[in-house]
Amino acid sequence: MAKGDTTKCLVIGAGPVGALAALYAARRGWNVEVYELRGDLRDDSTTPLNFTKSINLALSERGINAMRHSGSDQLLETVLSQTIPMYGRMIHGKASSRLTEESQQYDVHGRYIRAVDRAELNKLLLDELENLPNVKLCFNHKLTGADVRKRKAWFEQHVSRTQTADGAQADQDQNSSRSKEIEVDFDVILGCDGAHSNVRHHMMKSMRMNYEQSYIDTLWCEFTIPPASSATKATPSTRDGFATSPNHLHIWPQSDKMFIAIPSTDKSFTCTLFAPSADITSLEKYPDGFLPFFEANFPGAADLVGRAELRKQFAENPHLPLISIKCSPHHYGSSGVILGDAAHAMVPFYGQGMNAGLEDVRVLFEHLDAHPPNIQGRTKALEAYTTERVPDAHTINDLALANYWEMHAGVNSPLYLLRKKIEEFLSDKLPATGFATQYSRVSFSNQRYSEVANTVARQGRILFSGMILTVLLPAASWAGWWLWRYQRSSHSTIKAAQGFTGLTMLGERIGRMFT
């Protein structure tokens, strides 16, 4: 945007996507106000919206690239210094009575994704924002209404903070502050307020938005593997105080369920159980069956968590659903935009939820930068953003859902592993072919998600054709040769010979090749 742009921007939601969006807007000279329902997200006492820690996220190229273009020179370097590289999946299983670990690299070229602490990432982004003079952070503010036509928003302040005589912060009476509502004007409002977005809800009152929400028949529950100690067991890949390899995303796969673990910088692992709702309901009803269920399906995992702690965490941590949301468009006129989960909440099986949201920010501001800094220019920019982003958002939603099969079943599928090896071989040894695995395109490139899907589908057709030719061509060659030899040695009638004319001609050509 041009210097001197006085655009007033409200960012609703101070999570990673909202904080980065506010940073992009502020770097362009906009007057930015960030409103967050919860307290300061840098405060350890602030409860996450889903009431779980969920401290670990997978950061890949799309999210990294979005921060690379944020205009904050040291931000990305600082963030990356707080991450742990994960070079592949570690598949846990059992052979006879022996526990097994099998490493499957993510990328033939050695590229990797990074485990990042969500709270630490959020803190770094908010700290960066707080240092900018044109940014105002407003915590404990609930959006109660928004009119994108009149460009007005209303907020209810849940808890107000006052300064005491000794300089400490104290809460005023919460009941008296709840009725306090403020009205705020804006030029553009950015909805970064999650799957159950209030911004999206109020935008839908002023426009025709197609909206699709669905749940899969799987629930999830969070667990923690503590750092390695004498109190818990460790796997053979344990290193540097971690109970198992710190440089892998760990998976205990089953046909319809799985248990995963992602490393943290404090040497623990944040783990998630994904299982059909019927299984979870049964375990809730009959808790004595939990440990036998866990040991039968995820061998060795209970020893890493600790058996007593495993039961305790299952009883205390919530068992939550997985939601998928698609909507279109992602904007209204020149005044409203939704980003991240507000626009495309997805199941977590590709690790792209946060990365896609951060990429939304980069794409949005690329379009804004390409148009004049006025209402007409912003209208065209937001239209272009929706045109580009909707098909990509729908695609990654579908890919994330499909990747559930890959994570709990595909990792043990010979056909899936064969295709992966062929594509990696071609990518490594014959790069001119342009082949690459779907995972590497999604996680290690900035190619549009919709283009990834089209490219991978084309690769699949080529590989399938090649496999068919590999099987059928030798068979056809043998059959042609046999018919050619048969005709030469037999005295069959002309009518019979004419019946084989087509095959005979093919056989003659092939026969000459072998004689």
Side-chain angles (χ1 to χ4, degrees):
M1 288 290 180
K3 286 186 177 181
D5 187 349
T6 58
T7 299
K8 184 175 180 180
C9 173
L10 304 189
V11 178
I12 313 304
V17 174
L20 186 67
L23 187 57
Y24 266 71
R27 291 295 185 193
R28 283 153 178 78
W30 292 11
N31 295 315
V32 180
E33 296 180 4
V34 181
Y35 290 88
E36 168 59 47
L37 171 65
R38 297 162 287 178
D40 193 329
L41 304 184
R42 294 166 289 186
D43 188 336
D44 292 338
S45 66
T46 299
T47 305
L49 285 176
N50 59 9
F51 305 105
T52 70
K53 290 186 299 180
S54 294
I55 58 175
N56 298 75
L57 296 170
L59 179 64
S60 57
E61 168 58 22
R62 296 173 194 273
I64 292 171
N65 192 43
M67 286 186 282
R68 187 180 292 130
H69 290 87
S70 68
S72 297
D73 296 337
Q74 301 301 316
L75 174 63
L76 181 58
E77 181 181 343
T78 305
V79 169
L80 295 184
S81 70
Q82 300 297 317
T83 65
I84 300 175
M86 296 186 292
Y87 293 93
R89 300 169 177 142
M90 184 71 80
I91 311 304
H92 294 259
K94 192 173 185 178
S96 300
S97 59
R98 183 175 62 88
L99 297 177
T100 62
E101 292 181 315
E102 177 193 352
S103 176
Q104 295 180 0
Q105 66 178 359
Y106 281 132
D107 181 64
V108 69
H109 304 291
R111 292 173 293 185
Y112 51 86
I113 61 176
R114 298 169 180 265
V116 62
D117 184 308
R118 183 176 68 178
E120 182 63 23
L121 173 61
N122 221 153
K123 176 183 181 298
L124 292 171
L125 287 166
L126 291 174
D127 286 347
E128 191 78 17
L129 273 178
E130 199 167 47
N131 291 326
L132 299 178
N134 54 332
V135 175
K136 178 182 177 182
L137 297 177
C138 305
F139 297 104
N140 297 304
H141 281 71
K142 178 182 180 180
L143 179 71
T144 57
D147 190 328
V148 288
R149 295 179 186 270
K150 296 180 179 179
R151 295 184 172 87
K152 292 181 181 294
W154 295 268
F155 297 89
E156 186 179 83
Q157 189 172 352
H158 276 233
V159 181
S160 58
R161 306 288 285 183
T162 59
Q163 198 86 6
T164 61
D166 60 358
Q169 295 287 327
D171 291 343
Q172 290 181 353
D173 179 69
Q174 187 168 356
N175 292 327
S176 64
S177 63
R178 275 187 175 175
S179 60
K180 182 180 179 181
E181 188 173 73
I182 59 174
E183 180 181 288
V184 183
D185 296 324
F186 61 83
D187 294 308
V188 60
I189 186 169
L190 307 183
C192 308
D193 49 342
H196 303 288
S197 169
N198 275 339
V199 175
R200 183 186 65 231
H201 172 73
H202 290 296
M203 279 177 57
M204 292 172 73
K205 296 177 181 179
S206 299
M207 61 186 293
R208 293 180 297 176
M209 179 185 287
N210 294 319
Y211 177 78
E212 175 186 333
Q213 172 181 303
S214 59
Y215 291 90
I216 65 172
D217 186 31
T218 297
L219 298 178
W220 66 279
C221 180
E222 188 176 275
F223 299 83
T224 301
I225 293 175
S229 70
S230 58
T232 57
K233 292 186 178 181
T235 74
S237 62
T238 180
R239 184 167 57 83
D240 300 331
F242 290 85
T244 187
S245 169
N247 298 122
H248 289 82
L249 187 153
H250 296 261
I251 304 178
W252 284 259
Q254 287 297 330
S255 61
D256 61 348
K257 59 184 72 73
M258 67 177 176
F259 187 73
I260 69 170
I262 300 177
S264 296
T265 53
D266 66 357
K267 302 186 185 301
S268 68
F269 288 81
T270 295
C271 311
T272 310
L273 166 66
F274 297 98
S277 57
D279 285 359
I280 300 294
T281 301
S282 176
L283 294 172
E284 291 171 340
K285 190 175 182 180
Y286 305 105
D288 288 344
F290 178 68
L291 276 178
F293 164 87
F294 212 87
E295 291 171 340
N297 288 285
F298 316 117
D303 292 328
L304 295 177
V305 178
R307 294 168 185 269
E309 190 62 27
L310 188 74
R311 293 189 61 170
K312 178 184 176 183
Q313 291 180 29
F314 181 75
E316 294 180 352
N317 292 343
H319 309 147
L320 300 169
L322 293 169
I323 192 172
S324 178
I325 290 174
K326 295 179 181 178
C327 63
S328 176
H330 289 176
H331 80 288
Y332 173 83
S334 66
S335 59
V337 194
I338 49 176
L339 304 92
D341 284 354
H344 47 67
M346 67 191 72
V347 294
F349 304 120
Y350 229 125
Q352 285 295 301
M354 178 188 68
N355 291 285
L358 298 178
E359 187 176 57
D360 287 345
V361 176
R362 178 184 63 79
V363 173
L364 171 63
F365 281 90
E366 280 184 356
H367 286 297
L368 287 166
D369 289 344
H371 291 82
N374 53 40
I375 291 178
Q376 292 77 16
R378 192 162 62 241
T379 299
K380 291 180 179 179
L382 300 193
E383 288 175 353
Y385 168 73
T386 280
T387 298
E388 174 174 345
R389 210 56 187 155
V390 165
D392 290 342
H394 289 187
T395 297
I396 189 56
N397 270 32
D398 294 338
L399 292 179
L401 186 58
N403 207 51
Y404 186 32
W405 175 87
E406 178 178 323
M407 290 184 73
H408 71 75
V411 292
N412 290 323
S413 165
L415 187 60
Y416 162 78
L417 295 174
L418 174 62
R419 174 172 176 171
K420 182 174 183 289
K421 286 184 180 298
I422 292 173
E423 289 178 329
E424 287 181 336
F425 174 82
L426 293 172
S427 176
D428 186 31
K429 305 300 182 184
L430 298 170
T433 62
F435 268 71
T437 64
Q438 177 175 285
Y439 189 91
S440 67
R441 292 183 187 278
V442 168
S443 297
F444 305 124
S445 82
N446 294 291
Q447 183 181 16
R448 289 182 58 183
Y449 290 121
S450 54
E451 292 177 359
V452 168
N454 291 335
T455 302
V456 170
R458 183 169 63 252
Q459 284 183 186
R461 290 192 294 270
I462 293 171
L463 290 177
F464 181 75
S465 299
M467 292 172 67
I468 292 297
L469 287 175
T470 300
V471 173
L472 294 184
L473 186 58
S477 299
W478 179 86
W481 178 83
W482 184 86
L483 287 172
W484 178 72
R485 292 298 300 268
Y486 174 80
Q487 184 178 1
R488 289 188 60 185
S489 60
S490 70
H491 300 284
S492 58
T493 63
I494 294 176
K495 183 176 180 180
Q498 289 175 341
F500 289 105
T501 299
L503 286 175
T504 301
M505 293 176 65
L506 174 64
E508 183 175 355
R509 293 191 184 97
I510 296 174
R512 288 170 181 166
M513 293 172 60
F514 291 96
T515 57

